[in-house]
């Protein structure tokens, strides 16, 4: 049973939400309909007032003047009350009613300042969009669009949008700004400084150079140079920062701290420490150094997770050289730090948390507990809500505990910590608590945690059903009984728990109830449900026949992400559905394969390799693994050029093996030779001849990676299938010579097939040494 104390505190939490049940969902839907009708009636009434459709005869000019006067009075009243949301809604209503906005540029500046102070990111995004969507869909006048002072405030507003779901607002606004104004004609230092800051956030040092050249041609002071320095620091341009600092006689300690702060957010521990040390002991903010360590390990953490996604494998963290060097610097800094406050201790704990996830042996949970219980207490630091949240996440993601089907140690630890939070009355967001508890419930077995970082693109079927802790359903019941609805994060975690444990009926029940819960099924949720369904044939068939049609109805084509298409292709592979696969293969190039999507293609082109391999990988994988897509595979291979990556080499070998015919062996040999030569060009591993007599076959030299052995196994299997006993025997012997002290890492099926072939050919000497 779930801990009673945790149950009580969860039940006593926020009760302002509706129950997540079919009955209450229907009731909630009816209430929404009534509110929508009421809102429509009010809008119609307001529109009628605005148009002044009265029985009193008036001239058209008088009617328009009255509309403008009523609108101006209403907007002025809203602005004086600092009601940013009301003013934005009123302007949108005016536009929908085909009425002109009565605000001038100065009044728009006042509105932008109000919206900038708002904590509502969606409201800020609405206002940002007005300035970059087509003019006929925006309530903004041309004379306002062309006012540079309005853009100064607008870009400041967009700076608050760089994090979260509206991160594209800034780049879109900068693009529209550069189309509206010619850079060479701007002679306002403030505007150029703001624009440089935007380029710094977007990581465009060349654009900063262009702005700074204009500033140098104008009368300017040290403040303009400092703005340029900060912009370069945001881009990580170390040399430019150092050069410009030399032009200032006595840089202030405030400037040094600002530079250190931006380098800290980039995870550059060396540069952060350098500029912190330039400050006096009183002004130096040592917390920035620990922020840099936290950001550095966060970056490596996300990089390895992303690598797992793009390669189609489970995320397995590697404590590489970069992390080892970072860890050495971390220990040196910790040894030099005697006292710290709660903010700095939170940065330290977050570093330890990520280090524990990536290397639980080097950083066991006991280290985090010791820092939390002993170190912080010894320096007089009182933990706050963020401290407890970090520790809760560490417990919920920990891969230290080897549990069987009857235990879940990390959930036990998370519940114990939550009980402590309740007893000490720590202010912690209740949804954060549920996120942590759901995460701790993600199925695992022993030291195998394959779904803690569930991949958006899943290419492997679920080979066995993992055990799901029954307390998951108790936690869910407590949450719903407390009238706390699912948000997107908790739903993603719940679906992962159910889908990876094979409880598909429960998974689909929660998915279908979403339509009545008020939570929109967006691209992220569709991508996730397709990825979960791709692990089972029946679920893949259901997803392709039902969920895909729901996606078509609910989402516009431009909102469907690339990874969602890939997840659907994986469902096609699992279900062996060539009909739907052809439909998706025809849609993907139209959506992402044209010149208008160069930025998207660059993101798909992992690690800047040529030919946008990230674009071709999933389509070629589907074409080679689904029967009936041979012509589509050939058409795609005609578009791809060498060098290939691992996925493309695998797909190419599969396709050559499928083709058959007289040229099959020649094609396979040609591909394997190309792979051997590419390996030589990339890694300098000189090929060796399999035999001295003709035909000379180049063979990769050792040591071999896992993928090298996979390619060699495919090559040997093709030789055995073609009954090339002599050449296959030479390849076996060459492989053995390259790794004499190791067992041949080949599939049992390939070895057995070779032995059977050699027996039929009565070539005992060719396989005796294998036995």
């Amino acid at each position: 049973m779930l801990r009673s104390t945790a149950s009580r505190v969860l039940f006593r939490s926020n009760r302002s939400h509706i129950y997540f049940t079919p009955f209450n969902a229907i009731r909630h839907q009816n209430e929404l309909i009534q509110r929508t009708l009421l809102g429509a009636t009010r809008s119609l009434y307001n529109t009628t007032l605005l148009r002044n459709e009265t029985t009193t005869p008036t001239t058209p000019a008088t009617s328009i003047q009255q509309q403008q006067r009523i609108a101006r009075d209403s907007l002025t009243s809203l602005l004086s009350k600092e009601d940013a949301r009301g003013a934005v809604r009123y302007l949108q209503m005016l536009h929908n009613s085909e009425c002109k906005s009565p605000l001038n540029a100065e009044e728009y500046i006042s509105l932008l300042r109000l919206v900038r102070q708002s904590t509502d990111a969606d409201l800020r995004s609405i206002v940002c969009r007005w300035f970059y969507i087509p003019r006929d869909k925006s309530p903004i006048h041309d004379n306002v669009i062309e006012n540079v002072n309005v853009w100064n405030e607008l870009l400041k507003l967009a700076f608050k949008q760089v994090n979260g779901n509206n991160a594209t607002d800034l780049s879109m606004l900068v693009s529209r700004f550069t189309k509206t104004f010619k850079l060479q004609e701007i002679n306002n230092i403030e505007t150029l400084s703001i624009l440089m800051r935007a380029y710094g956030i977007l990581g465009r040092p060349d654009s900063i150079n262009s702005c700074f050249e204009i500033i140098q041609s104008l009368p300017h002071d040290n403040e303009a140079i400092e703005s340029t320095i900060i912009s370069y620091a945001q881009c990580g341009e170390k040399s430019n920062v150092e050069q410009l600092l030399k032009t200032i006689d006595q840089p202030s300690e405030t400037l040094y701290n600002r530079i250190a702060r931006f380098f800290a957010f980039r995870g550059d521990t060396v540069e952060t420490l350098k500029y912190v040390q330039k400050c006096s002991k009183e002004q130096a903010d040592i917390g920035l150094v620990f922020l840099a360590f936290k950001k550095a390990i966060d970056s490596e953490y996300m990089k390895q997770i992303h690598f797992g996604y793009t390669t189609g494998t489970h995320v397995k963290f590697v404590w590489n050289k970069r992390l080892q060097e970072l860890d050495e610097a971390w220990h040196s800094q910790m040894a030099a730090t005697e006292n710290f406050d709660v903010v700095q201790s939170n940065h330290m704990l977050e570093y330890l948390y990520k280090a524990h996830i990536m290397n639980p042996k080097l950083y066991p949970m006991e280290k985090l507990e010791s820092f939390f219980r002993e170190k912080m207490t010894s320096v007089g630091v009182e933990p706050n809500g963020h401290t407890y949240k970090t520790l809760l996440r560490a417990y919920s993601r920990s891969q230290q505990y080897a549990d069987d089907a009857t235990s879940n140690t990390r959930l036990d630890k998370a519940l114990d910590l939550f009980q402590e939070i309740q007893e000490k009355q720590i202010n912690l967001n209740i949804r954060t608590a549920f996120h942590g508890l759901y995460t701790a419930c993600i199925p695992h077995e022993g030291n195998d945690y394959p779904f803690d970082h569930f991949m958006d693109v899943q290419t492997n079927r679920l080979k066995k059903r993992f055990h799901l802790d029954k307390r998951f359903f108790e936690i869910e019941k407590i949450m719903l009984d407390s009238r706390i609805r699912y948000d997107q994060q908790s739903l993603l975690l719940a679906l992962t728990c159910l889908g990876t444990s094979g409880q598909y009926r429960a998974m689909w029940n929660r998915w279908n109830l979403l339509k009545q819960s008020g939570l929109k099924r967006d691209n992220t949720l569709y991508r996730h449900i397709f990825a979960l369904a791709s692990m089972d044939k029946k679920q893949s068939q259901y997803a392709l026949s039902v969920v895909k049609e729901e996606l078509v109805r609910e989402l516009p084509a431009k909102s469907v992400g690339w990874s969602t298409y890939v997840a659907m292709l994986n469902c096609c592979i699992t279900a062996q559905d060539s009909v739907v696969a052809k439909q998706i293969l025809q849609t993907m190039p139209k959506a992402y394969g044209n010149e208008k999507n160069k930025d998207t293609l660059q993101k798909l082109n992992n690690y800047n390799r040529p030919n946008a391999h990230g674009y071709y990988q999933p389509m070629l994988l589907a074409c080679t693994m689904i029967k009936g897509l041979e012509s589509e595979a050939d058409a795609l291979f005609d578009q791809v050029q060498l060098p290939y990556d691992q996925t493309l080499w695998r797909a190419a070998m599969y396709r050559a093996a499928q083709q058959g015919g007289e040229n099959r062996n020649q094609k396979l040999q040609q591909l394997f030779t190309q792979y051997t030569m590419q390996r030589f060009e990339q890694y300098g591993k000189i090929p060796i001849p399999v035999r001295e007599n003709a035909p000379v076959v180049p063979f990769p030299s050792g040591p071999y990676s896992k993928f090298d052995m996979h390619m060699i196994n495919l090559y040997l299997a093709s030789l055995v299938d073609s009954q090339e006993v002599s050449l296959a025997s030479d390849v076996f012997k060459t492989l053995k010579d390259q790794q004499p002290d190791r067992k041949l890492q080949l599939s049992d099926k390939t070895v057995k097939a070779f032995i059977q072939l050699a027996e039929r050919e009565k070539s005992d000497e060719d396989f005796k040494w294998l036995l």
Side-chain angles (χ1 to χ4, degrees), residues 296-306 315 317 323 353-354 357-358 397 453:
I297 200 168
D298 278 347
S299 175
E300 188 65 31
Y301 175 81
M302 293 307 300
K303 187 185 296 184
Q304 295 198 26
I305 289 178
H306 178 72
V315 177
F317 294 108
L323 288 172
Y353 153 51
K354 291 294 171 59
I357 300 301
M358 301 179 78
R397 289 284 186 190
H453 305 276

Side-chain angles (χ1 to χ4, degrees), residues 469-485:
D469 196 309
K470 293 181 179 179
R471 289 175 290 180
F472 165 82
F473 297 101
E474 297 182 40
I475 293 170
E476 183 187 42
K477 186 176 185 302
I478 291 170
M479 184 184 80
L480 301 180
D481 286 348
S482 303
R483 301 186 181 182
I484 301 174
R485 293 181 297 178

Side-chain angles (χ1 to χ4, degrees), residues 316-379:
K316 294 183 179 179
F317 294 108
V318 178
W319 196 253
N320 54 32
K321 185 177 180 180
R322 160 73 177 142
L323 288 172
Q324 292 171 12
E325 293 173 352
L326 183 68
D327 197 48
E328 290 178 6
W330 161 264
H331 284 295
S332 300
Q333 189 61 43
M334 285 294 291
T337 305
E338 296 179 357
N339 297 311
F340 46 84
D341 57 22
V342 66
V343 176
Q344 296 167 5
S345 67
N346 285 340
H347 293 330
M348 297 174 185
L349 191 63
E350 286 185 87
Y351 176 91
L352 294 172
Y353 153 51
K354 291 294 171 59
H356 166 71
I357 300 301
M358 301 179 78
N359 193 342
K361 292 183 178 179
L362 184 62
Y363 281 91
M365 273 304 301
E366 288 73 20
K367 270 194 176 183
L368 278 76
E369 293 168 348
S370 174
F371 179 84
F372 176 74
R373 306 288 181 192
E374 301 171 9
K375 184 68 173 178
M376 292 179 63
T377 304
S378 65
V379 296

Side-chain angles (χ1 to χ4, degrees), residues 562 591-592 596-605 612 615:
W562 178 263
Y592 290 92
K596 295 181 180 180
N597 292 289
K598 287 183 177 179
D599 293 340
T600 305
L601 286 175
Q602 182 63 28
K603 292 178 182 178
L604 297 172
N605 180 12
Y615 171 74

Side-chain angles (χ1 to χ4, degrees), residues 261-486:
R261 182 174 183 81
F262 286 115
F263 277 119
F265 276 108
R266 294 185 62 84
D268 193 330
T269 57
V270 176
E271 292 297 310
T272 304
L273 183 60
K274 181 175 79 174
Y275 288 104
V276 167
Q277 290 176 342
K278 289 180 181 291
C279 301
S280 62
K281 188 175 182 181
E282 293 76 17
Q283 295 293 326
D285 187 358
I286 197 65
L288 294 176
V289 180
F290 292 107
L291 174 63
F293 277 105
K294 186 196 83 167
K295 290 292 183 180
I297 200 168
D298 278 347
S299 175
E300 188 65 31
Y301 175 81
M302 293 307 300
K303 187 185 296 184
Q304 295 198 26
I305 289 178
H306 178 72
F307 179 77
Y309 289 163
T310 54
T311 55
T313 59
H314 295 309
V315 177
K316 294 183 179 179
F317 294 108
V318 178
W319 196 253
N320 54 32
K321 185 177 180 180
R322 160 73 177 142
L323 288 172
Q324 292 171 12
E325 293 173 352
L326 183 68
D327 197 48
E328 290 178 6
W330 161 264
H331 284 295
S332 300
Q333 189 61 43
M334 285 294 291
T337 305
E338 296 179 357
N339 297 311
F340 46 84
D341 57 22
V342 66
V343 176
Q344 296 167 5
S345 67
N346 285 340
H347 293 330
M348 297 174 185
L349 191 63
E350 286 185 87
Y351 176 91
L352 294 172
Y353 153 51
K354 291 294 171 59
H356 166 71
I357 300 301
M358 301 179 78
N359 193 342
K361 292 183 178 179
L362 184 62
Y363 281 91
M365 273 304 301
E366 288 73 20
K367 270 194 176 183
L368 278 76
E369 293 168 348
S370 174
F371 179 84
F372 176 74
R373 306 288 181 192
E374 301 171 9
K375 184 68 173 178
M376 292 179 63
T377 304
S378 65
V379 296
V381 175
E382 187 70 24
N384 59 12
H386 188 82
T387 314
Y388 279 95
K389 180 177 73 173
T390 303
L391 193 61
L392 181 64
R393 286 178 174 174
Y395 278 130
S396 64
R397 289 284 186 190
S398 176
Q399 299 185 3
Q400 176 179 337
Y401 311 109
D403 296 313
D404 56 19
T406 62
S407 63
N408 188 348
T409 307
R410 64 182 187 179
L411 180 57
D412 295 337
K413 298 275 188 180
L415 288 170
D416 288 338
L417 181 65
F418 192 82
Q419 180 176 345
E420 180 181 341
I421 292 170
Q422 189 269 338
E423 291 172 351
K424 293 185 177 181
Q425 298 182 348
I426 302 296
N427 184 18
L428 182 67
N429 187 307
I430 191 63
R431 290 197 179 277
T432 301
F434 279 114
H435 294 166
L437 296 177
Y438 278 144
T439 303
C441 291
I442 293 177
H444 62 280
E445 187 173 303
N447 288 319
D448 188 15
Y449 294 81
F451 306 114
D452 271 14
H453 305 276
F454 180 75
M455 290 173 287
D456 294 333
V457 181
Q458 178 64 275
T459 56
N460 300 316
R461 293 189 191 181
L462 186 59
K463 296 180 180 179
K464 61 178 180 179
R465 178 175 294 188
F466 280 67
H467 171 74
L468 176 62
D469 196 309
K470 293 181 179 179
R471 289 175 290 180
F472 165 82
F473 297 101
E474 297 182 40
I475 293 170
E476 183 187 42
K477 186 176 185 302
I478 291 170
M479 184 184 80
L480 301 180
D481 286 348
S482 303
R483 301 186 181 182
I484 301 174
R485 293 181 297 178
Y486 270 115

Side-chain angles (χ1 to χ4, degrees), residues 103-105 108 135 140-148 150:
L103 296 184
N104 56 32
Y108 267 110
R135 298 287 178 89
I140 308 297
H141 291 311
D142 289 349
N143 60 340
V144 174
I145 290 282
E146 295 170 359
N147 189 301
V148 72
V150 173

Side-chain angles (χ1 to χ4, degrees), residues 459 562 565-566 568-574 576-589 615-640 647-648 650-659:
T459 56
W562 178 263
Y565 285 121
V566 176
M568 285 193 282
L569 277 181
N570 288 330
C571 286
C572 293
I573 294 172
T574 306
Q576 286 296 296
D577 191 332
S578 60
V579 176
V580 177
K582 287 181 180 179
Q583 297 173 0
I584 298 171
L585 288 170
Q586 291 173 359
T587 304
M588 292 171 77
Y615 171 74
Y616 290 105
Q617 283 174 355
M619 294 190 288
L620 282 170
L621 184 66
C623 289
T624 54
M625 297 187 71
I626 301 175
K627 294 180 180 180
L629 299 181
E630 290 78 12
S631 59
E632 284 79 3
D634 293 337
L636 285 171
F637 272 118
D638 290 339
Q639 302 175 31
V640 187
T647 304
L648 295 184
R650 186 184 292 113
M653 292 290 284
Y654 287 165
R655 178 65 192 123
Q658 291 172 352
Q659 282 179 331

